[in-house]
Amino acid sequence: SSGINAEWPLRPGDYDERILPSIVDEVLKSVVAKYDASELITQRDAVSNSVADDLTRRAETFGIFLDDISITHLSFGAEFARAVESKQVAQQEAERSRYYVEKAEFEKAATIMSAEGDAEAAKMLSKAFDKVGDSLIELRKMEAAEEIAANLAGSRNVVYLPKDKGMLLNLPA
């Protein structure tokens, strides 16, 4: 530090007016360059710590020892804020698109699996028909007729009429 003072004699106000603003600008530019725009906001503590460490080291080269450094106000221009917001919106849109693609792929896989299952079931039915002939179809018809009869029997609006008698409006049989 004596070499610096010999070349540029410092007055009492020079530390506040010339040296500190200069090294603060230098350190801030150096640290900010290490982060992208969104990281400056999301990793505020890391940025602050990096600025404090670098500023303390740089100030010591001038014989200035800093006890505490606080970044009290960090602001960005309107254009920067719009850029960050646009990036976040784009990331959300990309995430939404990725979700829709994954959903479509899942639905496609489910449809394929369902079709494969249907094909396997059709093969099994075909084999069963080959083994037992039409008796399986007759069994299914009887089961369906039994279910229909059970449903009709429970209904109040059903009237049973003999098949061979013309009871309805005295019509001939």
Side-chain angles (χ1 to χ4, degrees):
S1 73
S2 62
I4 292 173
N5 287 338
E7 292 179 29
W8 296 297
L10 296 174
R11 294 184 310 260
D14 284 347
Y15 288 101
D16 292 342
E17 295 173 12
R18 289 176 50 194
I19 294 179
L20 283 176
S22 174
I23 62 174
V24 166
D25 284 345
E26 174 189 328
V27 168
L28 283 174
K29 288 177 184 177
S30 169
V31 171
V32 167
K34 295 176 187 175
Y35 296 92
D36 67 27
S38 62
E39 290 174 336
L40 288 172
I41 295 171
T42 59
Q43 298 179 14
R44 213 172 196 157
D45 289 338
V47 173
S48 181
N49 291 337
S50 184
V51 167
D53 293 343
D54 291 0
L55 189 56
T56 300
R57 279 194 296 279
R58 187 71 176 116
E60 285 175 359
T61 63
F62 289 93
I64 301 170
F65 297 97
L66 304 173
D67 289 332
D68 187 31
I69 299 169
S70 295
I71 299 176
T72 57
H73 184 68
L74 181 62
S75 63
F76 301 99
E79 185 176 320
F80 177 79
R82 281 191 300 274
V84 169
E85 183 178 347
S86 295
K87 180 180 178 183
Q88 289 173 340
V89 168
Q91 286 174 332
Q92 290 171 351
E93 288 294 324
E95 194 65 33
R96 184 178 299 123
S97 296
R98 188 174 14 262
Y99 166 76
Y100 287 135
V101 167
E102 288 175 3
K103 181 181 176 187
E105 288 174 354
F106 177 76
E107 289 172 352
K108 176 184 170 186
T111 302
I112 290 171
M113 288 178 15
S114 176
E116 289 172 348
D118 290 347
E120 186 64 29
K123 286 179 187 176
M124 293 172 72
L125 282 174
S126 176
K127 286 180 185 177
F129 288 144
D130 289 342
K131 285 183 181 176
V132 295
D134 290 339
S135 60
L136 184 60
I137 293 174
E138 290 300 319
L139 175 65
R140 295 288 186 239
K141 284 181 182 179
M142 290 189 318
E143 288 173 348
E146 192 175 280
E147 184 180 340
I148 291 169
N151 287 339
L152 289 177
S155 175
R156 294 185 204 175
N157 298 330
V158 176
V159 177
Y160 295 99
L161 299 174
K163 178 179 174 184
D164 54 351
K165 308 283 185 200
M167 294 185 64
L168 196 58
L169 300 174
N170 291 325
L171 296 175

